[in-house]
Structure formats: C-alpha cells, structure tokens
Amino acid sequence: MEAKKSRLEAALFLAEEPVDSQEIADILDLGSMGYVDMLIEEYQDELEEDHRGLELVETPEGYELKVKNHHIEHVSHLAPHQDLNEGQLRTL
C-alpha cells in the first residue's frame, strides 16, 4: 500500500494538470475505484498534518497537489508564473 501511495505522490507531483481518479487507477495498476478512493483519502489525510507543506485538492478536473496557503508568501518567488493560466503565459 505504501508503494502505491508513493507512486500516487510522484504522479501528482509531476502532473501539470489535475489527475482524475481513472488516470490514477491506471497509473497505480488498480482496477478497484473504491481502493483508489481509499488511497487518495489516506494520502489527503497525511498531508493535512501540520508539518506537511502540501495539500491535495480535488477540482472538477481531478486531483492536484498545491502548496498550503500559509507557505505561499515564503515560496511563491520560486515559481513566479505558476498562478497564470496557459493563455496568459503565452502572451508573456
């Protein structure tokens, strides 16, 4: 189970767009969506601990890792254009 969770974390970290549950199931070689949901919930709970800097957010498109709000002001300079959408970035 921990190996699946670490692969989930790696996939979410590398993904440029939110990852939906079906794609997570494919990445983790899982056929049971219930097991995928359980894994996501456990990982989300682990990230809620105070000593963690990231959070797992569910959007209409899927799941994505984000920096917790109370860390943003300290680290946002490391990725200055991350808050811009693709169209805005093309314009720049």
Side-chain angles (χ1 to χ4, degrees), residues 2-79:
E2 291 303 312
K4 298 284 188 193
K5 216 180 302 179
S6 67
R7 189 183 304 170
L8 169 64
E9 183 174 54
L12 291 168
F13 179 78
L14 287 177
E16 293 181 13
E17 301 291 328
V19 183
D20 67 26
S21 295
Q22 184 57 56
E23 189 170 3
I24 290 170
D26 293 343
I27 291 167
L28 301 180
D29 298 321
L30 296 172
S32 166
M33 293 308 292
Y35 190 69
V36 170
D37 292 340
M38 182 186 73
L39 213 58
I40 289 169
E41 186 176 321
E42 283 184 21
Y43 181 59
Q44 198 166 31
D45 288 346
E46 290 175 15
L47 290 176
E48 287 179 4
E49 296 177 18
D50 287 338
H51 69 278
R52 302 298 295 264
L54 301 174
E55 62 184 340
L56 182 60
V57 177
E58 184 176 9
T59 69
E61 295 83 25
Y63 295 91
E64 61 184 337
L65 284 178
K66 292 190 168 234
V67 174
K68 287 184 178 176
N69 285 336
H70 59 275
H71 295 303
I72 290 288
E73 68 181 82
H74 303 286
V75 299
S76 62
H77 69 281
L78 298 171

